[in-house]
Amino acid sequence: MLKKNTQPVILQNVIVKALRTTFALVFFSLNTISCGSAILLLAPFKLLLLPFVKPQQTIHRICIYIASLWVELNNLNMALTQKIKWEITGLTPLEKNDWYFIIANHQSALD
């Protein structure tokens, strides 16, 4: 009986994982830098506009939009590059517009 050479398959898996990890890291970094920079640029204007309610509220809404965009782009990155199994427990269904406190149970040797 002939044994199949599995080294090319293993090497291919390693290369794919390395590329996927690199893409994820670059995407997370660029997303954080771009969205974070935008919020940091808008923050001083929000402080300067304290006496003016409408412009301050507009900048606040823009900052919330940028933060939401950051989360959505990170979710997209994770969906494309990671194999994550989510386990959500609780008595009530989660609502999109509510606030939640999330506790992550990291399961690695570095915890």
Side-chain angles (χ1 to χ4, degrees):
M1 183 171 206
L2 296 172
K3 290 185 179 179
K4 289 177 95 177
N5 187 357
T6 59
Q7 285 182 337
V9 174
I10 293 172
L11 182 61
Q12 182 182 9
N13 288 341
V14 169
I15 291 171
V16 168
K17 286 180 183 179
L19 288 173
R20 186 180 295 150
T21 302
T22 303
F23 174 79
L25 179 62
V26 168
F27 193 88
F28 281 131
S29 299
L30 291 175
N31 186 32
T32 300
I33 290 168
S34 60
C35 290
S37 297
I39 289 175
L40 287 175
L41 288 172
L42 289 172
F45 292 107
K46 186 176 176 187
L47 284 174
L48 291 172
L49 295 172
L50 278 176
F52 309 103
V53 176
K54 288 289 185 185
Q56 187 188 30
Q57 287 175 343
T58 301
I59 291 177
H60 177 76
R61 281 194 297 274
I62 293 169
C63 288
I64 293 295
Y65 173 79
I66 293 169
S68 297
L69 177 66
W70 177 78
V71 170
E72 290 300 321
L73 290 174
N74 282 342
N75 287 342
L76 175 64
N77 187 12
M78 288 175 58
L80 294 174
T81 62
Q82 311 298 313
K83 294 179 182 175
I84 297 176
K85 179 184 172 192
W86 295 96
E87 181 181 333
I88 301 172
T89 59
L91 300 176
T92 58
L94 299 178
E95 297 294 329
K96 183 177 181 178
N97 293 325
D98 284 342
W99 292 81
Y100 298 97
F101 182 69
I102 298 172
I103 300 172
N105 182 11
H106 299 262
Q107 296 180 357
S108 73
L110 302 176
D111 286 349

